[in-house]
Amino acid sequence: MKIRAAVLEEIGLERPYAKSQPLKVREVELEGPGPGEVLVKIAVAGLCHSDLSVIDGNRPRPVPMVLGHEASGVVEDVGPYVDDLAPGDHVVFVFVPSCGHCAPCSEGRPALCEPGAVSNGHGELLGGTTRLHWKGQKVHHHVGVSSFAEYATVSRRSLVKVDRDVPLDIAGLIGCAVLTGAGAVFNTGDVKPGGSTAVIGLGGVGLAALIGAAAAGAETIVAVDRLDSKLEFAKALGATHTFNADDPDVVAKVREATRGGVEAAMEFAGSVKALEFGYAITRRGGTTITAGLPNPKAMLSLPAVTLVAEERTLKGSYIGSGVPSRDIPRFLGLYKRGKLPVDKLLTHRLRLDDINEGFDRLADGSAVRQIVEFD
């Protein structure tokens, strides 16, 4: 079938993207689902820094590629051996397909699925297939999803079925922003009622962590960013303290306000400098968590003695260290009960033809979460 999709053909074009047009809306060929695969009509697709990091070259991927990994949609068709989904079902996409039988999957850590990581790195669906083509040329899949398109054929392992009473625009934000941000709070950070935490980097994922910390009952929630507008937004979402990262005395000010640092500092900026800052504001015995994805060449330097002398913990968090089939329904349940106001993160709605302008807003920080809406 022929579909309209946003194709990245060249990495590293200069901003503004509205002028350089790194994403070209093309009519591409999409094959239907093979064994273990599902065809989904996309409802909404979110714009995320993980997409931006492919566009600007910080996270290189094979091109041409249809980008997009945070989305929701409605099942259109299923391939052989898919017996737990049917046309009309509502689904949320997950950007690491889990095979279910590798070592991490068998240990209950599907975000670290080994075959899923290999397929994502090659720009293929789980199992090595490719269902996108343009002018006789293979077009790569972005982390097994490629949701900047009217339809997507994906592995069944890239989907979580959700209740139909949840608006699809809200469901679309759960698979990346909320799963990663709130997941870092509940799973990686184990934030508890009355605890203290810091959120560094107030994009969509960071702000999802902030509302997650509020839902978890944290008493002290520190928000840190370089933009005062983001800090004001964080206050409205439940931050108890806000600090501008460009303040030369920001470390001392945070440690003073929190009486020696926070129990869990979470970094979502994708910056080594931000991670070092997070470590510096973590209290003795505390945990520093990073869910950001810096350039693969970036290196981290820390005073190693503090890991022992202060019993410190440094942890990575990928997809919120979670189990998507468990956590996505949980987070949607919190949303429905008014505990996790995901809707407040949504700042812009746009059409596919306006996607480059959307990435300009994402790059300059003037948007939190934007979604492309499809008919």
Side-chain angles (χ1 to χ4, degrees):
M1 64 187 297
K2 294 184 182 297
I3 64 168
R4 296 180 76 243
V7 183
L8 179 68
E9 300 173 13
E10 183 179 354
I11 288 174
L13 294 182
E14 294 184 357
R15 293 175 54 202
Y17 297 132
K19 181 178 180 180
S20 61
Q21 296 283 301
L23 292 172
K24 306 287 195 303
V25 178
R26 306 288 195 194
E27 187 176 75
V28 302
E29 291 281 348
L30 177 67
E31 296 177 22
E37 296 175 350
V38 181
L39 175 66
V40 181
K41 180 177 174 60
I42 305 295
V44 302
L47 278 63
C48 176
H49 270 91
S50 295
D51 302 301
L52 180 60
S53 65
V54 179
I55 293 171
D56 65 19
N58 273 308
R59 301 287 295 180
R61 296 284 183 179
V63 293
M65 172 177 280
V66 174
L67 287 187
H69 65 281
E70 177 186 80
S72 64
V74 179
V75 173
E76 187 83 2
D77 193 14
V78 299
Y81 313 121
V82 177
D83 56 10
D84 57 346
L85 286 177
D89 285 342
H90 289 196
V91 290
V92 168
F93 292 80
V94 179
F95 59 88
V96 176
S98 53
C99 71
H101 55 73
C102 69
C105 284
S106 65
E107 295 168 356
R109 306 179 74 186
L112 302 181
C113 176
E114 292 166 343
V118 171
S119 296
N120 282 0
H122 291 162
E124 300 167 340
L125 301 184
L126 186 66
T129 58
T130 302
R131 301 300 183 197
L132 288 164
H133 303 274
W134 180 60
K135 291 186 176 181
Q137 176 184 12
K138 178 174 74 172
V139 176
H140 296 89
H141 297 266
H142 186 213
V143 291
V145 178
S146 291
S147 56
F148 293 155
E150 295 172 319
Y151 291 83
T153 295
V154 301
S155 167
R156 169 64 185 90
R157 301 285 188 167
S158 295
L159 299 170
V160 173
K161 183 179 176 180
V162 297
D163 292 340
R164 297 189 187 189
D165 63 345
V166 178
L168 284 168
D169 55 351
I170 300 301
L173 302 180
I174 299 293
C176 179
V178 178
L179 194 59
T180 301
V185 171
F186 289 101
N187 299 323
T188 322
D190 193 23
V191 175
K192 293 181 171 60
S196 62
T197 188
V199 177
I200 303 151
L202 302 177
V205 178
L207 289 169
L210 193 147
I211 63 175
E219 182 175 346
T220 301
I221 304 175
V222 175
V224 183
D225 200 273
R226 302 179 68 180
L227 295 177
D228 289 335
S229 58
K230 292 287 186 70
L231 297 174
E232 287 300 316
F233 193 30
K235 286 181 183 178
L237 292 176
T240 59
H241 302 73
T242 60
F243 297 90
N244 192 299
D246 289 332
D247 184 340
D249 299 318
V250 64
V251 171
K253 289 180 178 179
V254 172
R255 292 185 67 88
E256 180 181 3
T258 56
R259 299 181 181 180
V262 296
E263 294 168 330
M266 297 177 286
E267 179 271 318
F268 300 97
S271 157
V272 170
K273 184 177 180 180
L275 179 53
E276 291 172 343
F277 167 77
Y279 194 80
I281 64 169
T282 302
R283 58 174 280 184
R284 294 169 63 88
T287 301
T288 308
I289 297 159
T290 175
L293 290 170
N295 188 293
K297 296 180 181 179
M299 303 300 290
L300 176 67
S301 177
L302 294 172
V305 68
T306 58
L307 290 169
V308 175
E310 299 182 7
E311 287 195 6
R312 302 277 290 278
T313 301
L314 177 62
K315 299 177 72 174
S317 179
Y318 195 44
I319 320 183
S321 303
V323 179
S325 60
R326 176 199 68 194
D327 292 343
I328 288 175
R330 284 182 176 180
F331 293 151
L332 286 173
L334 286 172
Y335 164 75
K336 288 193 285 186
R337 294 194 297 275
K339 303 294 185 181
L340 201 66
V342 178
D343 54 306
K344 293 183 180 179
L345 306 180
L346 182 54
T347 57
H348 295 77
R349 299 171 184 265
L350 53 151
R351 311 305 295 176
L352 186 61
D353 291 319
D354 303 319
I355 196 166
N356 288 296
E357 290 86 341
F359 277 107
D360 279 325
R361 283 191 292 268
L362 186 62
D364 64 27
S366 60
V368 176
R369 220 43 170 191
Q370 307 171 84
I371 56 172
V372 175
E373 294 183 303
F374 295 88
D375 294 331

